Amino acid sequence: MEGPRLTFLSGGTGTPKLLRGFRELDYRPFEVVVNTGEDNRILGLHVSPDVDTVVYTLAGIVNEETWYGIENDTFRGHGFLEDLGVDEPLRIGDADRALKQYRTYLMEEEGLTLSEATDRIRKALGVRWPVHPMTDDTVTTIVVTDEGKMHFHEFWVERRGEPAVKDVVYEGADEASPSPGALRAVSNADVVVIGPSNPVTSIGPILSLSELRRAVAEKPLVVVSPFVGEGAVSGPADKLIRAAGFEPDVHGLVEYYREWGLEPDVLVMDERDPNEEPDVPVVIRTNTVMKDVKDSVALARRVVKAADEAIR
Ligand code: GDP
């Protein structure tokens, strides 16, 4: 399928589910700008969880149970590390570990940037759509809780999102530049699509890069809601958007992006959402819950329609 040139802003679950639909449609052209605020080092490996999920999704090999890692991966390495007394903070599968090792090698031994390494890897996996980490610098999403500051991974995976959240900050954002590919992808887009990702921990870090945010603000904008009624489809988005001072619903979502200086042209919200439609030029109601690839394809088609409306 062909249509307007789309650039997605993505985290590692909701937007990848939508991208699964675009992959299935073999849609062209599109590019993806991906959050790196959760990047981390684990046992010497450069872990970029959202970038990996997007690449695996577009390669058709993502683990669709968890939206993390590779389907049918094995965990012998992880188990063996446990035998060695290593408490790995993340269960990394064997093939997934090999990819992360290769990326770390490309960056540290061959001197590639994260963007260049990602491009090498996605091409090797036969992914025809460009995937851009938002930056090649270090920006880290920090959750400020009543128990102190923590990396998002510590907050969500190790502490199961339990501590009370006071604030979320993007450390390093003021000094960081967008990756050249990310900036080009936004500048060349007909329409920018903010997928149904966690606004505060997946999209906020991307928008915290001022040059990239200004580029997004100049484009027709489609926003797909990650909220259905009062609450997120999954994950801690509710708690985090509340901590940022907004309601976890379509109204809070639109206000949140306005606070960043963005004006959505089209909002795609769930057909079952009991909320009134926010004051956005075009609101499209449809099923936004993607239980399987069919749902993803149907929503992708609606998003293409939304993009057509945004340009009009
Ligand atoms: P993360 O990087 O793993 O935190 O993932 P994202 O930020 O990309 O996605 C998390 C968000 O996706 C949550 O706010 C969920 O509400 C949303 N989400 C997950 N699955 C779906 C879905 O099927 N439909 C919609 N509309 N949102 C979803």
Side-chain angles (χ1 to χ4, degrees), residues 25-144:
L25 288 169
D26 197 16
Y27 185 88
R28 268 168 284 173
F30 77 80
E31 303 189 34
V32 191
V33 174
V34 189
N35 171 42
T36 61
E38 288 160 40
D39 286 21
N40 216 337
R41 286 195 76 92
I42 295 180
L43 295 182
L45 299 181
H46 185 118
V47 174
S48 192
D50 292 358
V51 169
D52 285 349
T53 294
V54 169
V55 169
Y56 292 155
T57 299
L58 295 178
I61 59 171
V62 74
N63 176 349
E64 295 187 357
E65 307 267 297
T66 54
W67 293 89
Y68 183 82
I70 298 174
E71 65 180 347
N72 302 324
D73 210 347
T74 51
F75 289 86
R76 285 197 64 192
H78 181 78
F80 193 62
L81 284 166
E82 275 179 353
D83 294 345
L84 292 171
V86 179
D87 182 18
E88 202 176 31
L90 198 67
R91 245 180 122 242
I92 302 177
D94 297 327
D96 190 22
R97 187 183 305 280
L99 180 132
K100 288 166 169 51
Q101 182 181 356
Y102 180 47
R103 170 176 44 232
T104 308
Y105 162 80
L106 287 174
M107 293 174 69
E108 291 180 1
E109 305 290 327
E110 291 205 4
L112 269 59
T113 62
L114 177 62
S115 299
E116 290 163 347
T118 303
D119 206 50
R120 176 91 62 95
I121 288 166
R122 69 99 181 162
K123 282 179 179 152
L125 286 170
V127 172
R128 53 157 53 109
W129 300 279
V131 176
H132 310 284
M134 66 187 199
T135 181
D136 290 320
D137 300 326
T138 304
V139 174
T140 307
T141 300
I142 299 289
V143 186
V144 185

Side-chain angles (χ1 to χ4, degrees), residues 11-15 17 50 196-198 202 225-226 232-234 237 288-290:
T13 306
T15 307
K17 283 187 191 174
D50 292 358
S197 280
N198 184 325
S202 292
S225 178
V233 175
S234 61
T288 64
V289 180
M290 295 167 278

